[in-house]
Amino acid sequence: MSLSSSLYTGTSGLTNMGNAMQVVGNNISNVNTVGFKKGRSTFADTLSENVATQAGTAQVGRGMSMESVDQAFGTGSFESTGNSTDLSIGGDGFFVLRQSGSENNFYTRAGNFHFDKTGQLINPEGYIVQGWKLDDETGDDTGSIKDIVLDAFTSPPKKSSTMTAITNLDADAESKAVVLSNLWDSSAEDYIGSGNYEYQTVVKVYDSLGSTHDITIHYDKKSGTDWEYTVSCNPDEDKRELVQGTTSEGLLARGTITFSQSSGDILDFTMSKMTGRIGNLDTNGVNTNDATHFTVDNYDAMALDGYNFSFEFNGTTWDWQDINGDAVINGDDLPTNYKNATILYSDSQSIEIALNADDTDADLKISFDQPAVATDSLTFDINNKNDLHVQGVENTTYFGETANDNTSLQINDPSVMTTDAEDIGMVWYPVDKQWRWSNPEAAKDNGTLVSGMSCMNAGAPVLNVDGNADGTWDYTDYTDHSATGGAIDEIIVTDADKMPRYSDIQVQYDTGAWHWDNPVKDADFGATAGTLTSWSAPFDSPSLSSIDNSPAVPITGNAFDAAGDYTLTYTAATTGPVVPSSWALTLPGGGAGVAAGDDSGVSFTLDNGTTAKYSFGSNLGAAQDGGTITFTIDPSAPVEYPDAVIIPDVVNTEDLDIDFNNDSSINLEFDMDGAAAAAGNIFTFTVDPDTPPAEYASATLKGDQESAVIDLDGSGNENDDDDIVFLFDDPLKYGSGAAPYTDRSEISFNIDGSTAWQAVTEDEIKKEGYYSFTADFLGGEKGLTEMDIQFNIGAQYDGANWINDSMSSTQYSRSSSTTFQSANGYSAGDLQGVDVASDGVMTGIYSNGELMPLFRVGLAKFLNNQGLQNSGGNLFRETRDSGEAITNKPGENGLGTIAPNSLEMSNVDISEEFVKMISTQRGFQANSKTITTVDDMMSTVIQMKR
């Protein structure tokens, strides 16, 4: 080893101690640099030199070298700045920046960012922060990582698509409306009077231009746990095409809510949308109902209801559908009240219709979003503009025990009332203890008004009028029918309305004319069923004025087969008890009846086996021998028709004509075609108006003393068999029916029908779980400005059941109130600031009060941070040693979270650096001493030569 080597050994120490001092100096100089990561120098000895020793070969060091300069990536302290775009990372990771004008990415812990004039989020050197753009509705990331650039500093308006109203509805409330939606009147100051509903709440929604509109929900209790509601807006703001000029303007939807009786939670929820002048729309083909649009050019032409407009596309044009299947399009295929409607023009995407014969321009236009294909079809109805939202019972009249406020009306399902119907009748029959329809016109049309006929002669049928030989009477067979035996040729109903009540009627032919042969039920003999015409001598003796001439028992049933005079003859007893007193009964026509009695009274047996008796105040005797009592039987008209009379026919007394209300007009005529009736012949038939109204032919009626229940559509479903219910506070009586108008009760009413309500089915909401109603506040063409708004009451449909949310509408026994209400959507606004969350989500704060998700700041990490290359400006670049950057959301995959409004400062500890500085200085001084010592040694060597 030479002295020069020792000199270089000291020189290596001086050099590397200088480098170490540079690292310390760099750390100290960046003690306040944002995001700076301090350096650390480490040393290593150099390769040793071999030298010979007494013990053998040995190694001598040749100095030292700088082994590495590492950076400590520990997190520095955070300094609060109050600037929302100053960001720091709590944990591992780097912000990702892109150099403007290139694709080079850089990485930094320094989060001192700001927006430039173009909306780019940049660092002080102008590098653009990277992140993901967020969907402004869902807040989800969209696309790949990109520049964070605000496209606009204003927020365009957004129309509402969801509305939430969470309410509690008072379980103790009473119903205030039969059908809540029927009370809507857009022309009134209060669209639904305040006394007609239980509670209302109002939610503000936005249209596509940012204007606000109030949506009002009215609630009213139906019964028990069932409530009904309406959804409405200000009629002046309702621009839907098909409600203009009607009293339905502003009425958007209605429905029902059913709560659990035990928990008060929602069990079921329904909705129907108000469609307006066009109802019952049904499309079959490529265009759905929502893709079919109607434009009315002439509202006056739609003055009447019109049902079943049916069209079919043949591949080129639309034509009327052949409803009757007779391969000919005629009046039977055209809708009611619009038999002159014509198609002016049609193609695959439009139909233009003139509704009246004298219309040359289209009154109604239909357009489709998609071109139709062959066999596509379309049906709909036209609704009269007057109260087209009304589906209810009107003009109700009550008679008998249903009157005097004893009856209340309950309508459980107004949606089945699709057609107007007038004068629907129903009658309570106290003897039969049942309700029957009273619709004689419908019964006549159905061939059931006069039925159950038979003609008896001496107990044997002599008449069989049956048009199809099935043993039953068919009304269609009555006209111009030659019956077996030829007895009845024709039955004519002149005025069916005069025959409104069900009645079994019997008439008998005697003494050249027809007479009633109907029993007077539960009536006193002599007072009603028979009339006392005379007392023959000696019964008229003044000494017998105390004779009681009332029957001992009432006469019931069909007491007499024949009308006429009946005579009771008294024969006094002869001497002693050998021949007692006796009575004889002489029938009309001379026949003998059965009578038995004595001096105190007489009993006689009537045709139906009933025994009647006359008793006397004092016993009869020889003075009354041969005396007679004569009374006349003239059975009255049926109790259901007390004013009915049989009109004699002077030309042909065998014909039978009946005037049911005694107004001198024949209502029912049986033409006997000249066939002679014999004395004692009996003709029975039934007046049977027990037929549903023609407009609701499937309707059923049931009930008892406490209620009458109508299933109007005849569905018979468990939950849909009580569409209309009449309830009686005081139960109706059971009775004999003897006094015609004492016990029988009647109800008549009209139905206001409409097809302007379209039910939203649960199948239609399986995907989203919420019902939607449609509003239009702008009135654009083809429904372009219509808004479908979901109505959330705190329950969502999962495809099978309604699932209550943590906060949902309830029915508790406390005052009705609104728990929560809101709607999405907003008006236009200016960006006032941004807020960044710990997950990197950057939210825009706008002057319209909206908070809109904008971007998510991205972070990156490396497998080897020590492999990063410093690029100045607090930036790093990836290298082969660092590995590729792994980008992800803050807080995921091992990345730290974002701390907004703060900056990460340098992680340099100044006291630590001063210590390092001192130790480095001492090392430098020591190494310099080595050099000076070697220098002295070399000088000594040189001096040795001298």
Side-chain angles (χ1 to χ4, degrees), residues 71-271:
Q71 284 189 290
F73 284 92
T75 303
S77 61
F78 292 167
E79 177 183 350
S80 179
T81 66
N83 184 359
S84 61
T85 57
D86 284 344
L87 309 177
S88 53
I89 304 173
D92 293 338
F94 298 86
F95 296 109
V96 184
L97 307 176
R98 184 182 68 82
Q99 184 179 20
S100 180
S102 73
E103 295 300 323
N104 297 327
N105 284 343
F106 294 84
Y107 307 90
T108 185
R109 295 280 296 189
N112 49 332
F113 307 133
H114 67 276
F115 287 103
D116 66 10
K117 63 180 181 180
T118 63
Q120 298 179 125
L121 185 63
I122 60 174
N123 74 345
E125 286 76 24
Y127 289 61
I128 308 170
V129 182
Q130 303 294 291
W132 289 272
K133 188 173 179 60
L134 300 181
D135 185 278
D136 59 1
E137 291 187 2
T138 64
D140 295 336
D141 300 347
T142 60
S144 60
I145 195 168
K146 62 182 67 175
D147 295 347
I148 295 181
V149 183
L150 295 181
D151 298 325
F153 288 86
T154 60
S155 168
K158 178 184 176 182
K159 65 183 180 182
S160 299
S161 61
T162 299
M163 181 184 78
T164 301
I166 308 298
T167 58
N168 176 70
L169 300 175
D170 189 357
D172 297 327
E174 299 291 337
S175 176
K176 297 182 179 180
V178 177
V179 179
L180 182 61
S181 58
N182 288 352
L183 303 180
W184 178 266
D185 185 356
S186 61
S187 62
E189 183 176 353
D190 292 332
Y191 309 125
I192 296 181
S194 58
N196 295 319
Y197 58 87
E198 163 62 19
Y199 184 68
Q200 73 168 14
T201 189
V202 181
V203 182
K204 180 174 67 175
V205 299
Y206 296 85
D207 62 30
S208 58
L209 298 183
S211 298
T212 61
H213 307 272
D214 286 344
I215 297 295
T216 303
I217 306 103
H218 291 92
Y219 302 90
D220 188 57
K221 192 173 187 180
K222 291 182 70 66
S223 62
T225 58
D226 293 332
W227 289 74
E228 59 182 334
Y229 69 88
T230 62
V231 181
S232 59
C233 66
N234 188 324
D236 294 336
E237 298 177 355
D238 189 0
K239 305 302 181 184
R240 291 173 298 162
E241 172 80 13
L242 298 176
V243 299
Q244 298 305 301
T246 72
T247 56
S248 303
E249 285 180 300
L251 190 56
L252 304 175
R254 73 178 183 189
T256 60
I257 308 172
T258 301
F259 295 95
S260 167
Q261 188 172 10
S262 58
S263 68
D265 295 333
I266 297 169
L267 291 180
D268 197 14
F269 182 37
T270 68
M271 177 180 282

Side-chain angles (χ1 to χ4, degrees), residues 310-332:
S310 300
F311 301 95
E312 186 172 2
F313 188 65
N314 61 18
T316 304
T317 60
W318 290 87
D319 199 357
W320 297 101
Q321 198 169 14
D322 183 15
I323 298 175
N324 294 328
D326 56 4
V328 177
I329 301 300
N330 51 40
D332 293 337

Side-chain angles (χ1 to χ4, degrees), residues 648-659:
D649 188 335
V650 297
V651 176
N652 185 354
T653 58
E654 288 77 14
D655 288 347
L656 176 60
D657 300 332
I658 300 176
D659 175 5

